[in-house]
Amino acid sequence: MTSFEYLLAQVRSCTLCAEHLEHGVRPVLQISPQAKVLIVGQAPGRKVHESGVPFDDASGDRLREWLGVTKDVFYDPEKVAILPMGFCFPGTGKSGDLAPRPECAPAWREKLLAHLPQLEVTLLVGQYAQKYHLDKKPSSLTATVQAWQSYWPAVVPLPHPSPRNNIWLSKNPWFEETLVPRLRLRVAEVLGS
């Protein structure tokens, strides 16, 4: 077993925050040292928790549309790594899913990122990913996504593709008119498709 395989086995059997997870432990991630694209989301939702497949929901459909990739490409770990800020479903609060558990990123994130030497682009989906990965702390998600060119081409901040963000998308048409076409080209370039 390689050090990467051992680490991945540890992550998949993690119970670090089990006492806080009403729906149980089920780490959901996708990773291979060959991946060229990294998608950093927040945490699995209920549907993804049940299926064990990252972005296996309406958010994933929209994200794949934004990226211009098929499910086959998206779910090929040698092309796309998917490492949410929290690997397990944190539960539901008053206005949607709870924040990713705070134990997860410090325990696993840097160890896993060290096994991704081929990365060419990192997509930061939502505020939790952006706050963790960006040196400049964003004043807001909108301000960060509007400043996408300052992170380009290695990092691309994105809003969450959830249907809950339809209002944000309607208020910010520039995102789908300007950034999404550039994002598709960048992903195609990196993946050689």
Side-chain angles (χ1 to χ4, degrees):
M1 183 179 279
T2 67
S3 62
F4 170 72
E5 291 167 335
Y6 179 72
L7 174 61
L8 191 53
Q10 287 183 301
V11 171
R12 293 195 189 282
S13 62
C14 178
T15 58
L16 190 61
C17 55
E19 66 185 279
H20 304 288
L21 299 173
E22 176 186 345
H23 300 278
V25 174
R26 186 172 197 181
V28 178
L29 66 152
Q30 171 178 299
I31 186 171
S32 166
Q34 288 75 38
K36 293 186 175 188
V37 174
L38 171 61
I39 298 172
V40 181
Q42 50 189 43
R46 182 185 309 271
K47 185 174 181 186
V48 169
H49 172 77
E50 291 168 1
S51 73
V53 178
F55 285 103
D56 182 27
D57 54 15
S59 296
D61 293 340
R62 179 178 274 163
L63 182 58
R64 285 184 288 278
E65 181 183 320
W66 288 350
L67 302 181
V69 298
T70 64
K71 280 187 170 186
D72 287 343
V73 170
F74 189 83
Y75 289 118
D76 182 344
E78 294 196 355
K79 293 180 179 178
V80 178
I82 303 171
L83 297 179
M85 293 305 300
F87 297 143
C88 295
F89 174 47
T92 305
K94 291 180 182 177
S95 60
D97 291 347
L98 296 172
R101 289 295 315 161
E103 300 90 344
C104 197
W108 302 117
R109 190 144 213 86
E110 297 307 319
K111 293 174 186 174
L112 288 165
L113 292 174
H115 287 277
L116 293 171
Q118 307 292 326
L119 281 186
E120 293 186 38
V121 64
T122 298
L123 310 177
L124 302 178
V125 181
Q127 65 177 332
Y128 299 109
Q130 292 164 14
K131 284 180 181 176
Y132 183 90
H133 283 274
L134 297 177
D135 292 333
K136 294 185 293 180
K137 300 300 181 207
S139 59
S140 71
L141 179 130
T142 301
T144 303
V145 177
Q146 284 175 326
W148 64 273
Q149 290 175 315
S150 63
Y151 309 107
W152 188 268
V155 175
V156 185
L158 300 171
H160 198 282
S162 168
R164 288 180 178 269
N165 271 350
N166 286 343
I167 293 172
W168 187 92
L169 291 169
S170 68
K171 288 182 178 179
N172 296 279
W174 57 268
F175 172 75
E176 290 185 309
E177 293 166 2
T178 305
L179 177 50
V180 169
R182 293 285 304 277
L183 176 62
R184 286 182 183 149
L185 289 173
R186 178 73 177 128
V187 169
E189 172 188 70
V190 167
L191 297 179
S193 52

